[in-house]
Amino acid sequence: MKTQSRLEKVLASGALAVTSEVGPPRGAIPEKVKEKASLIKDHVDAINVTDNQTAMVRMSSWAAGVIIKQMGLDPILQMVTRDRNRLAMQSDIIGAYSMGINTMMCLSGDHVKFGDHPMANGVFDLDSIQLVQAVRKMRDEGKFQGGADIKSPPKMFIGAAANPFADPFELRVMRLAKKIKAGADFIQTQCIFNLDKFEKYMEMVCDRGLDEQVHLLAGITPMKSAGMARYMKNKVPGMDVPDDVIKRMEGVSKEEQPEEGIKIAIESIERLKKVKGVHGFHIMAIEWEEKVPQIVEKAGLFPRPVV
Amino acid sequence: MENFEPEIVAFCCHYCAYTAADMAGSKRIAYPPNVKIIRVPCTGKVDAIHIMKAFEKGADGVYVAGCLEGDCHFKNGNTRAKYRVEQVQKYLTDLGWEKDRVAMINMSAGMGEFFASTALEFTQNIKQLGPSPIKHFNTDGHQTAVS
Amino acid sequence: MITAEQKPLKEIIEYISPYDRILLVGCNECVTVCAAGGRKEVGLLASALNLHSLKQGRTIDIKEITLERQCDPEYVEELVSEIDRADAILSMACGCGVQTIAERYKEKPVFPAVNTKFMGASQSQGIWVERCQGCGDCLLGITGGICPVARCSKHLLNGPCGGTSDGKCEIAPDVDCAWCLIWERLKALGMEKRYEEIMEAKDFRPAGGGGPRKIIREDLSL
Ligand code: SF4
Ligand code: SF4
């Protein structure tokens, strides 16, 4: 075991892991973090805490993570390289680890252009792969980026993201290999709606033997409406929503669409459970956290293992 | 204002507008004497600075008359001229002048009557706008304006 | 080359409004090529400023000069004979030219008439695109001749990010994704393998992180 991370233990036990996420509030409202985390606490192994998601200022991910930790739960600290240089990132990692956070996700982050501070300067001192390298170097070599030794280095279980659907498709597996080489222990993927394409991707992943080197959690997002499905298809960069999914959502009445969206999510999990290399699920129920327990239960992923 | 007679400079392409003006003359189709014609080998030869200098020297209006679009003798001189006219329009706007003091007009060599009618129309437009904003200074080149 | 664009007239007029005698200085290099501050633009700006002041009921004396290279003290020296007859200098060169003048003629105010934009190349007539950020440690040799520092919106050295679609960058459909271009080029060169090599975190000292940069060539400096 590389770390104290509960997620690492669950994955090591061979069970399918389940993670979900909490987006911190845009204000000093710690209750909001607690409220969101409480909704999912019994149904997941760890909770991603997003970092200035969509490039909008929010409560810092490590502070919200600490709140969640204090509830006795297991936060996954998300960190985007957009907002901090390597000094700030390393110090936040030490800080978060000192507060009991032992799992993190390394991301580059959406461009500032998409948020409410388009006039800000994006930092990108490191990219996501270099951040993975940096966190591993801290943990395994006990060294800072500058080369100095760390007294009592932070031991983080290291996650990274993968988007099996972004262009060019042929690069996707190579890029995953790069993240693994950099030191990623687990991967959470972009929301999967195009299951055929994802299965093809996983075949390629397994052909290279990458499934043996990393734990891949498949991203699942329940859709609330046909409108949301269309929006994701047309407006979100790098998202692949096939037409038959949209048709299926449109095929039922407006009132039944949320239920249909959840059904699709559950069916997807059932199908993906059988895919070689899938070691768990990352459920991103955007502003719909209350539905996570239902999805986890109906997909046969409840109760969560005790490790 | 009533008896304001504007000074207008027309840069006319040798291959079209200038010939058209000639034809208007020989056919005795009258056009306002306010329009001073400057013959150019192609309107592509007219630079923004020439138009600006005309204004500096006291012109109330300037237009560039070139061949019909697609008919330029030198391929795209008239298109270039159009962009330069737009460039000057932008300058004038930024300076708080009326941008319609400068215009691009297209015609062919055979359009003598059209030449005369556009000359008249442009002159009337400028009369409407009134004298150039620097007219009240007895300008003579860009360093000697005195009031 | 260095690209630039003329500042709004209003801003230029504000700068020079207290002065009667202006030395308007263009440059024959980059800003001439990108049509922002060469002889032609100097003439046009002078003309526009004249029209403005005449309308205001005053006259200003604008002396137009276009130097061979405004970022070179040798050429800036040519202004010596004019400087006493000017109350202020208006420069149409890039920021380097403006500063060379400011350094040489300390007693005269100097104002920029253009906004210096980026190091770029001409894409087609009238269109210039950013190509280099002078990072001081050129990577083009390993990125297939396409710069990730200047052309990836996130300066990623290990791209592309998850936001690319159809070869375009996530920030806008009319911006090419630098990493898609790099990948295509590596493929064309038969260098796909290179893609899987991780590019280490960049040392930003040569890029300016180590303070203002300087090149000293002892073989050339006297
Ligand atoms: S790698 Fe650096 S020096 Fe080379 S083109 Fe890019 S910014 Fe310029
Ligand atoms: S889409 Fe391409 S160019 Fe844009 S930020 Fe991502 S990797 Fe860089």
Side-chain angles (χ1 to χ4, degrees):
Chain A
M1 224 42 82
K2 297 174 188 164
T3 70
Q4 296 292 312
S5 168
R6 173 158 168 218
L7 181 62
E8 183 180 12
K9 287 176 195 153
V10 172
L11 287 165
S13 77
L16 286 168
V18 178
T19 57
S20 184
E21 66 180 26
V22 161
R26 284 173 56 79
I29 325 167
E31 310 80 51
K32 194 84 207 162
V33 178
K34 288 184 200 156
E35 186 189 310
K36 283 185 171 182
S38 303
L39 290 171
I40 56 178
K41 68 178 179 10
D42 299 324
H43 292 80
V44 298
D45 305 314
I47 301 171
N48 286 46
V49 190
T50 54
D51 183 12
N52 287 344
Q53 193 181 356
T54 61
M56 313 248 282
V57 180
R58 293 162 195 277
M59 181 192 291
S60 61
S61 57
W62 71 260
V66 167
I67 295 173
I68 291 173
K69 186 78 202 173
Q70 285 167 349
M71 294 168 71
L73 306 174
D74 292 89
I76 300 176
L77 175 73
Q78 291 202 3
M79 187 171 280
V80 297
T81 65
R82 178 196 59 223
D83 302 335
R84 302 170 188 77
N85 70 5
R86 60 195 94 172
L87 271 86
M89 287 192 283
Q90 292 176 98
S91 73
D92 277 355
I93 291 165
I94 293 177
Y97 187 75
S98 302
M99 300 301 287
I101 299 174
N102 50 30
T103 310
M104 66 179 288
M105 270 295 277
C106 304
L107 308 162
S108 55
D110 297 326
H111 196 271
V112 288
K113 188 193 151 158
F114 296 105
D116 63 349
H117 287 67
M119 72 300 275
N121 187 15
V123 180
F124 301 112
D125 183 31
L126 300 181
D127 63 25
S128 57
I129 289 182
Q130 292 160 346
L131 177 57
V132 170
Q133 279 185 318
V135 185
R136 179 170 67 177
K137 188 168 178 170
M138 292 174 92
R139 181 188 70 197
D140 296 350
E141 297 171 35
K143 287 208 189 297
F144 288 117
Q145 286 287 285
D149 290 334
I150 307 172
K151 276 188 209 123
S152 183
K155 306 266 185 213
M156 288 283 186
F157 191 53
I158 307 167
N163 183 354
F165 307 105
D167 298 318
F169 186 59
E170 54 191 344
L171 261 192
R172 290 297 129 192
V173 175
M174 293 172 87
R175 195 163 155 70
L176 176 68
K178 245 174 134 169
K179 291 199 171 178
I180 296 169
K181 190 157 126 192
D185 301 307
F186 71 99
I187 298 288
Q188 292 175 328
T189 77
Q190 172 73 286
C191 325
I192 300 160
F193 299 109
N194 187 342
L195 277 70
D196 295 338
K197 195 165 178 184
F198 180 72
E199 283 171 350
K200 202 165 138 220
Y201 168 83
M202 286 309 296
E203 250 172 57
M204 291 156 70
V205 168
C206 295
D207 282 349
R208 283 194 58 164
L210 298 175
D211 57 317
E212 317 261 306
Q213 300 167 36
V214 81
H215 297 291
L216 189 139
L217 312 192
I220 300 290
T221 288
M223 283 180 293
K224 273 186 187 169
S225 65
M228 173 175 170
R230 280 189 298 266
Y231 178 84
M232 299 247 255
K233 180 188 176 73
N234 302 323
K235 293 280 152 61
V236 184
M239 191 75 81
D240 183 347
V241 186
D243 290 332
D244 52 328
V245 173
I246 294 177
K247 272 204 206 99
R248 184 168 160 190
M249 289 296 285
E250 285 169 345
V252 301
S253 71
K254 235 186 155 63
E255 297 70 46
E256 288 166 330
Q257 281 176 4
E259 206 37 56
E260 195 65 20
I262 289 177
K263 254 195 230 156
I264 295 175
I266 295 166
E267 289 168 23
S268 302
I269 296 178
E270 290 292 0
R271 179 167 156 191
L272 295 177
K273 271 183 187 176
K274 302 184 201 97
V275 174
K276 182 162 183 268
V278 172
H279 294 182
F281 296 92
H282 177 50
I283 305 170
M284 292 162 274
I286 303 151
E287 294 301 319
W288 213 19
E289 290 85 358
E290 67 271 24
K291 293 293 174 191
V292 171
Q294 186 188 339
I295 295 170
V296 174
E297 285 172 22
K298 293 225 173 107
L301 295 167
F302 191 76
R304 299 307 312 144
V306 183
V307 288
Chain B
M1 268 311 231
E2 285 293 89
N3 40 26
F4 158 58
E5 286 299 337
E7 282 187 72
I8 288 165
V9 176
F11 291 97
C12 295
C13 162
H14 163 78
Y15 289 96
C16 50
Y18 189 77
T19 314
D22 229 20
M23 176 187 281
S26 59
K27 282 196 177 172
R28 307 204 179 285
I29 311 168
Y31 61 87
N34 310 58
V35 178
K36 309 277 184 301
I37 293 177
I38 296 179
R39 180 165 80 162
V40 291
C42 169
T43 50
K45 195 75 192 116
V46 181
D47 223 324
I49 189 71
H50 301 124
I51 304 173
M52 294 293 279
K53 286 288 173 201
F55 283 120
E56 265 190 80
K57 302 238 177 210
D60 300 293
V62 180
Y63 69 89
V64 181
C67 301
L68 296 171
E69 279 189 39
D71 275 355
C72 174
H73 199 77
F74 300 99
K75 228 170 127 189
N76 54 10
N78 52 357
T79 321
R80 283 172 197 272
K82 184 179 107 191
Y83 288 137
R84 288 176 191 145
V85 164
E86 285 169 7
Q87 188 188 2
V88 173
Q89 286 184 329
K90 190 176 172 299
Y91 262 114
L92 294 188
T93 311
D94 289 352
L95 290 167
W97 289 41
E98 302 87 354
K99 76 169 173 39
D100 294 337
R101 287 189 187 276
V102 56
M104 177 78 203
I105 295 167
N106 301 85
M107 66 186 73
S108 72
M111 296 166 79
E113 258 170 71
F114 183 74
F115 178 86
S117 66
T118 49
L120 179 64
E121 196 184 324
F122 190 79
T123 307
Q124 278 166 346
N125 288 348
I126 299 298
K127 272 191 186 176
Q128 291 266 312
L129 293 177
S132 137
I134 62 169
K135 201 58 172 217
H136 47 292
F137 304 102
N138 195 358
T139 62
D140 173 26
H142 71 265
Q143 290 185 7
T144 50
V146 281
S147 52
Chain C
M1 64 168 160
I2 292 180
T3 60
E5 258 182 335
Q6 193 183 308
K7 279 182 174 289
L9 269 180
K10 193 166 166 275
E11 185 182 343
I12 298 174
I13 288 168
E14 260 168 42
Y15 283 139
I16 62 160
S17 63
Y19 308 101
D20 291 326
R21 300 174 306 166
I22 308 294
L23 186 55
L24 178 55
V25 194
C27 175
N28 226 349
E29 300 274 4
C30 308
V31 286
T32 295
V33 183
C34 68
R39 186 165 286 119
K40 244 185 186 177
E41 292 75 30
V42 164
L44 264 175
L45 179 59
S47 190
L49 295 175
N50 270 320
L51 288 185
H52 174 77
S53 61
L54 288 171
K55 190 180 168 198
Q56 241 51 39
R58 58 186 273 252
T59 49
I60 47 171
D61 175 0
I62 301 179
K63 171 76 186 168
E64 302 171 28
I65 297 184
T66 299
L67 299 177
E68 201 46 43
R69 191 156 58 242
Q70 224 184 95
C71 56
D72 196 328
E74 195 181 317
Y75 294 107
V76 166
E77 203 56 37
E78 288 170 17
L79 298 178
V80 163
S81 54
E82 302 293 340
I83 205 79
D84 289 339
R85 266 175 284 148
D87 304 323
I89 306 166
L90 187 55
S91 164
M92 296 195 84
C94 72
C96 312
V98 180
Q99 293 181 63
T100 309
I101 289 185
E103 212 170 307
R104 172 63 183 82
Y105 302 104
K106 295 197 164 57
E107 69 291 352
K108 299 284 175 184
V110 50
F111 302 103
V114 302
N115 287 323
T116 306
K117 308 287 274 214
F118 51 80
M119 279 190 271
S122 171
Q123 190 177 58
S124 59
Q125 177 91 9
I127 300 178
W128 293 271
V129 282
E130 181 163 18
R131 286 293 178 258
C132 173
Q133 290 190 350
C135 76
D137 181 13
C138 192
L139 302 165
L140 291 177
I142 50 175
T143 56
I146 292 151
C147 173
V149 180
R151 298 178 66 180
C152 165
S153 306
K154 299 176 187 165
H155 327 300
L156 305 180
L157 297 191
N158 297 283
C161 71
T164 68
S165 62
D166 289 331
K168 299 297 172 186
C169 173
E170 68 174 27
I171 65 151
D174 60 345
V175 177
D176 287 330
C177 167
W179 273 98
C180 291
L181 295 176
I182 292 172
W183 170 243
E184 290 304 325
R185 185 101 169 98
L186 289 179
K187 263 199 314 194
L189 297 170
M191 296 179 170
E192 290 95 330
K193 278 246 155 336
R194 175 158 287 164
Y195 176 79
E196 288 207 27
E197 284 163 30
I198 295 175
M199 255 198 254
E200 300 290 324
K202 194 166 175 57
D203 182 343
F204 278 95
R205 280 169 294 188
R213 293 173 279 175
K214 192 175 188 174
I215 297 173
I216 303 174
R217 280 277 303 272
E218 278 165 11
D219 54 332
L220 297 177
S221 55
L222 300 173

